[in-house]
Amino acid sequence: MRHVFTKKSVLSQQLVEKMIGQAIEKAVELNIKVSVAVVDDGGNLFGFMRMDGAKVIPSNIAQNKAYTAVGFGISTADWYDRIKDKPALLHGMVHTDRMTIFGGGQPIYDGEDLIGGIGVSGGSQEQDDLCALSALSVF
């Protein structure tokens, strides 16, 4: 029986910086001010940037979106449709600490390995998701 496992992939500082930069480029293109957070596979903050002029509260929301995305390995935009017709889940999940059920959070995969999450907040949920997806394009 194995007691220790080896991680196949981990995020690097260089990759995280590129992802954040790409998300911000997309935000500039969309003419919005956002915060961008990247977490590792354990949900720990790895990189963060708040654009000049971005509001303060979306800073925490971006981190929560990244945390939710890595915590379940799915986009935060997918959550509402999964639970909207299940009242116990809908009302319970939204009270789970750091859980976010609207767009802007994406899991980061290296092949089949879940290695992190990215969250963007400051625009509409659709705009936030476009920025997060743009960031994944550098990977």
Side-chain angles (χ1 to χ4, degrees):
M1 172 184 244
R2 283 193 72 162
H3 297 284
V4 177
F5 296 92
T6 303
K7 287 185 181 183
K8 294 181 182 179
S9 304
V10 294
L11 290 168
S12 70
Q13 177 185 341
Q14 183 180 14
L15 177 61
V16 169
E17 288 173 350
K18 285 181 183 178
M19 292 176 74
I20 290 172
Q22 183 65 36
I24 288 173
E25 273 188 45
K26 187 65 171 179
V28 168
E29 179 186 314
L30 296 171
N31 198 32
I32 57 174
K33 306 289 186 184
V34 299
S35 291
V36 183
V38 176
V39 298
D40 65 15
D41 63 342
N44 304 297
L45 187 62
F46 195 117
F48 176 81
M49 179 64 63
R50 181 169 64 107
M51 293 175 67
D52 292 340
K55 304 296 184 202
V56 174
I57 290 178
S59 298
N60 288 331
I61 295 170
Q63 293 175 56
N64 291 343
K65 288 178 181 184
Y67 181 83
T68 301
V70 75
F72 290 98
I74 63 171
S75 168
T76 57
D78 294 342
W79 271 106
Y80 184 74
D81 284 339
R82 288 177 177 232
I83 63 176
K84 68 180 180 184
D85 298 322
K86 300 173 184 170
L89 280 176
L90 177 61
H91 298 289
M93 290 298 263
V94 297
H95 294 291
T96 301
D97 191 37
R98 302 187 68 189
M99 181 71 182
T100 306
I101 63 167
F102 48 89
Q106 293 289 333
I108 304 169
Y109 282 95
D110 180 19
E112 293 182 7
D113 297 324
L114 179 61
I115 62 171
I118 184 165
V120 179
S121 187
S124 69
Q125 63 179 329
E126 293 81 13
Q127 291 170 322
D128 292 349
D129 218 31
L130 285 172
C131 293
L133 290 168
S134 183
L136 292 179
S137 73
V138 303
F139 187 57

